[in-house]
Amino acid sequence: MTLNTNTPLLELRHISQRYGSGTRQFTAVDDVNIAIQEGEFVALLGPSGCGKSTLLRIMTGLRPPSEGEVLYKGEPVRGVNPHATIVFQTFALFPWLTVQQNVEVALKARDVPMRVRGTRAVDLLDKVGLDGFENAYPRELSGGMRQKVGFARAMAVEPELLCLDEPFSALDVLSAESLRSELLELWMSGKIPTKAILLVTHNIEEAVVMADRIIVMEKDPGRVVADLRVNLPHWRQRKDPAFLTVVDQVYAVLAGQTQAE
Ligand code: ADP
């Protein structure tokens, strides 16, 4: 299919999700419309319980929505989207496998021939700065290094859409900051074939440091209340007045002080 330049990489149309049944049924996500274009780094920001993880599962095809449609390059998504992967907060590594084997598992799942799996895995580990740790086990690594394995594994399948579910939340402040920079470096240098990144977070500054666009959600029911563009060049400085202005603007939306755009 020829992709019209305006066709979004991913589009959510009128997505709603209800959980429970009978009188205990409730709406977790209400009529969400989001379009992500190629080249965008988008943050999905909102308080706990506003439906971010639910939307991530719907976007990647892990769960069908109660209502609405998910389109990938203009085509309806049916089943798991092979062009998208998720990096989880809790790393989700197999403790009994070495670092390299943890990455190879992802390659095997995508039917990459055995003879090239080793080289591909070593190459990816090198990219995320884990050269020399191929034979270590996850328990021997720090949290930051474990998450690097998580990134290498997600990138192993060369996803067009890389989804990150609070990937820095379980890390200490310094590890989180250095991993954010490394991811931005990989993304901006074009060293990974990823076409768009979606970062789920509840951390306002993290969203402003990394994203080109911040989609702000509120809860009860989960819905989009603003879609803001971050027009600051990288690398962004947290103490820069322009940075703080954007942080304040997002905070005001979350605190309900300004109206949705
Ligand atoms: P977030 O990721 O923003 O914290 P979630 O998508 O995890 O939000 O959850 C949104 C709402 O839906 C919450 O009230 C949560 O308790 C509820 N929820 C999420 N998953 C399920 C499920 N499988 N069954 C029932 N309720 C769920």
Side-chain angles (χ1 to χ4, degrees):
M1 184 188 130
T2 327
L3 197 61
N4 180 312
T5 44
N6 294 323
T7 308
L9 188 64
L10 182 90
E11 195 176 357
L12 301 184
R13 285 192 188 158
H14 303 293
I15 296 289
S16 293
Q17 180 65 48
R18 285 182 292 278
Y19 287 122
S21 56
T23 50
R24 279 192 277 169
Q25 191 180 67
F26 73 101
T27 303
V29 169
D30 188 31
D31 193 22
V32 165
N33 295 283
I34 293 174
I36 298 176
Q37 302 289 344
E38 277 190 24
E40 282 190 315
F41 190 137
V42 179
L44 192 58
L45 176 82
S48 183
C50 72
K52 304 183 293 298
S53 302
T54 296
L55 278 181
L56 208 56
R57 290 203 290 276
I58 291 172
M59 281 176 186
T60 49
L62 290 174
R63 149 183 286 285
S66 308
E67 268 170 46
E69 208 180 11
V70 182
L71 301 176
Y72 191 79
K73 293 184 179 171
E75 297 285 322
V77 171
R78 306 208 194 288
V80 177
N81 181 348
H83 304 291
T85 50
I86 305 182
V87 174
F88 298 97
Q89 178 181 353
T90 48
F91 322 135
L93 302 180
F94 296 113
W96 60 90
L97 296 182
T98 65
V99 161
Q100 182 172 334
Q101 287 165 341
N102 263 288
V103 178
E104 286 183 17
V105 161
L107 295 168
K108 186 174 177 213
R110 295 283 167 107
D111 293 327
V112 173
M114 200 158 79
R115 67 196 147 72
V116 291
R117 278 182 221 152
T119 11
R120 281 267 294 274
V122 170
D123 184 44
L124 281 156
L125 289 166
D126 192 22
K127 250 183 207 160
V128 296
L130 282 180
D131 192 15
F133 289 91
E134 294 83 358
N135 297 317
Y137 285 89
R139 65 172 179 277
E140 300 174 280
L141 305 180
S142 66
M145 290 163 94
R146 281 186 222 173
Q147 191 56 300
K148 285 184 181 189
V149 183
F151 276 108
R153 191 183 47 189
M155 286 166 196
V157 298
E158 308 198 329
E160 291 179 338
L161 178 65
L162 180 62
C163 298
L164 311 171
D165 194 359
E166 308 251 4
F168 311 108
S169 309
L171 306 179
D172 64 82
V173 177
L174 292 179
S175 305
E177 197 62 2
S178 99
L179 201 49
R180 282 186 199 110
S181 304
E182 284 169 39
L183 175 66
L184 265 181
E185 167 66 27
L186 281 174
W187 164 245
M188 292 193 308
S189 65
K191 283 186 199 148
I192 46 174
T194 303
K195 292 187 173 158
I197 297 184
L198 181 84
L199 167 71
V200 164
T201 182
H202 59 255
N203 181 329
I204 299 179
E205 287 205 1
E206 177 173 292
V208 182
V209 163
M210 305 194 78
D212 305 317
R213 224 176 111 195
I214 302 178
I215 297 173
V216 187
M217 292 186 70
E218 261 305 346
K219 60 180 185 180
D220 301 324
R223 64 205 186 277
V224 173
V225 290
D227 190 337
L228 312 163
R229 205 151 272 288
V230 184
N231 287 318
L232 302 173
H234 287 291
W235 298 83
R236 298 174 183 159
Q237 306 299 322
R238 289 171 191 260
K239 291 192 173 150
D240 179 354
F243 182 94
L244 294 171
T245 304
V246 180
V247 170
D248 284 349
Q249 194 185 352
V250 177
Y251 186 81
V253 173
L254 275 171
Q257 290 164 10
T258 54
Q259 290 301 307
E261 292 195 342

